[in-house]
Amino acid sequence: MSERINLLQGLRYPTPEEFRKLGVALADSWEQIRFEEIGDRHEEDFFDMFRNIELGNLYREFNGRVFNTEVAYKLVVFFYNRGIPDEPWFQSPGKDGRSTDYFPRFTEDVHFVNHFWFYHYADSFYSQFQGIVDFLYHVIKVKYDFDVKKNIGLQRVISFKLEEVEPELEKVLQDYRKKNSL
């Protein structure tokens, strides 16, 4: 296709009902990631009260980030399910004397639109998910009042300190790091 593709032409987002169905399979997983609200606690210690206020705000922000990540995931699935005929992703020799045709099975503009938005939301999903992990370490730092400076290796330092006070939580984070290391 030599014409320019209008990425908004044929763009359709899921209806509320479709959107709800996209998340049914992982609904429990998303809920397990979220923090429960702290609520109004009356602490005897003045500094504990302020730390709880800060933690409450961090929990709400974390839960908002989880929600945004969940939305990105659902949109990845939605555009994938709409169809992206990207196998094979190239053909050589191409038709009409071209040396190579990329995405030779893309025959309609909607294929290009689905492909573009799928990768857009996939990139968004992975970035946001990593942001959740990074933010989780910040929450741990505040919750346990770790005196750690923002620097390269922050997660490692927090993990080392966390092992002393919450070894089970550190084990979960360690397992995640092992499974997701490059």
Side-chain angles (χ1 to χ4, degrees):
M1 293 197 139
S2 61
E3 299 175 18
R4 246 186 146 155
I5 303 297
N6 179 351
L7 294 174
L8 298 178
Q9 181 182 358
L11 175 62
R12 183 180 82 76
Y13 281 99
T15 65
E17 180 61 23
E18 289 172 321
F19 198 78
R20 188 190 62 72
K21 288 179 182 177
L22 287 168
V24 168
L26 292 178
D28 289 340
S29 297
W30 290 115
E31 279 307 311
Q32 289 177 8
I33 293 173
R34 288 182 175 88
F35 281 109
E36 291 181 28
E37 295 292 326
I38 288 180
D40 292 332
R41 292 185 184 171
H42 300 286
E43 301 291 333
E44 291 180 27
D45 186 294
F46 183 74
F47 293 105
D48 284 344
M49 180 182 73
F50 278 106
R51 189 164 72 238
N52 282 338
I53 291 170
E54 182 179 10
L55 278 174
N57 291 333
L58 291 174
Y59 288 1
R60 280 187 289 285
E61 183 175 345
F62 183 87
N63 291 345
R65 288 172 181 237
V66 170
F67 174 78
N68 291 340
T69 305
E70 180 181 5
V71 168
Y73 173 80
K74 288 178 179 182
L75 290 170
V76 166
V77 172
F78 175 76
F79 284 106
Y80 177 82
N81 289 344
R82 282 193 72 194
I84 305 170
D86 59 354
E87 289 292 330
W89 68 274
F90 76 97
Q91 177 180 322
S92 183
K95 61 182 178 182
D96 301 330
R98 291 187 290 248
S99 63
T100 304
D101 281 339
Y102 294 99
F103 306 114
R105 294 184 55 212
F106 281 28
T107 57
E108 302 172 29
D109 284 353
V110 73
H111 295 147
F112 289 95
V113 170
N114 292 343
H115 181 262
F116 176 86
W117 290 110
F118 169 81
Y119 279 99
H120 170 78
Y121 287 111
D123 181 54
S124 177
F125 168 75
Y126 285 110
S127 297
Q128 290 181 34
F129 191 82
Q130 186 56 50
I132 287 173
V133 173
D134 291 342
F135 199 80
L136 178 61
Y137 279 92
H138 177 69
V139 171
I140 291 168
K141 175 185 176 290
V142 171
K143 179 174 175 59
Y144 294 101
D145 200 24
F146 292 153
D147 185 25
V148 179
K149 304 285 186 249
K150 288 185 180 180
N151 206 340
I152 294 175
L154 175 77
Q155 290 183 6
R156 189 171 18 100
V157 173
I158 289 174
S159 293
F160 181 74
K161 290 180 174 270
L162 185 62
E163 193 169 31
E164 296 173 10
V165 294
E166 287 286 346
E168 289 181 34
L169 177 57
E170 171 46 29
K171 175 76 171 105
V172 170
L173 293 172
Q174 186 180 66
D175 290 345
Y176 171 80
R177 287 190 307 270
K178 284 181 183 176
K179 290 177 186 173
N180 294 290
S181 65
L182 297 175

